[in-house]
Amino acid sequence: MTVRRWAVLSSLLAPVALIGGWTAAAAVRPDFDQVRDTISALAAVDAPNRWIMTAGLAVVGACHVVTAAGLTGARPAGRVLLAVAGVASAAVAALPQPAAGHQVAAAVAFGALSIWPAVAAAPGVRSSWAATAVFLLCLAGFGLSLHADHLVGLAERVLAGAQVFWPAVAVLAHRDGGHRDR
């Protein structure tokens, strides 16, 4: 086995924390538009019940760091990138909008989460490069939506939702020995 058992739990908890966090935080804000508004707006300084999304982001960050430590079958540089993404995700929680550093932390998290699969070759070379290509396309789409100020929330949720599931894919494939796409 090339993954620690506790990494399975952390990799599966991350999507629950992120998607559950944005769903629960938006549910208590009837004025919130998930297609238009960002995830960070749910944890912004002036957001009601901001603790919900803040906790979700902090848990996701911790999960990525734990998963990186436990995914021993992946290349070390990729594991470091996943851990960097985790620390940056926690920084997004610690630096709510409009705090200085919030956008930088978010950019580091999204960037590291986009490229870590290819660098880690986790779960395998072809699938990792395919995931990175998809993530980079989603990241470009998010950037374009920010520039156009159109569908920003939707584009961010597609990107973040896709990225948060990949550690579980890598962990489960390594746990089962199914990483054969060299």
Side-chain angles (χ1 to χ4, degrees):
M1 178 163 41
T2 57
V3 64
R4 304 280 188 240
R5 290 182 185 184
W6 38 266
V8 175
L9 178 61
S10 65
S11 72
L12 294 172
L13 178 58
V16 172
L18 183 64
I19 297 169
W22 84 47
T23 302
V28 297
R29 290 192 52 193
D31 64 322
F32 191 81
D33 183 347
Q34 294 209 51
V35 173
R36 184 190 70 229
D37 300 324
T38 65
I39 297 166
S40 293
L42 292 166
V45 170
D46 61 350
N49 298 304
R50 68 188 237 33
W51 67 269
I52 299 169
M53 194 66 246
T54 300
L57 289 166
V59 169
V60 168
C63 285
H64 286 334
V65 171
V66 169
T67 301
L71 186 55
T72 57
R75 292 180 183 155
R79 294 172 60 205
V80 168
L81 275 173
L82 180 57
V84 165
V87 171
S89 296
V92 168
L95 301 167
Q97 286 179 335
H102 176 84
Q103 290 178 330
V104 171
V108 169
F110 282 134
L113 286 168
S114 291
I115 62 172
W116 88 269
V119 176
V125 174
R126 286 186 301 236
S127 60
S128 317
W129 276 97
T132 291
V134 169
F135 297 157
L136 289 173
L137 284 172
C138 290
L139 183 59
F142 178 50
L144 290 172
S145 72
L146 283 170
H147 180 71
D149 195 26
H150 184 66
L151 303 175
V152 176
L154 177 62
E156 182 184 35
R157 281 165 183 74
V158 168
L159 171 62
Q163 288 179 333
V164 78
F165 277 102
W166 194 257
V169 169
V171 163
L172 293 173
H174 276 274
R175 186 195 74 184
D176 295 336
H179 54 288
R180 292 180 178 82
D181 68 340
R182 309 254 180 244

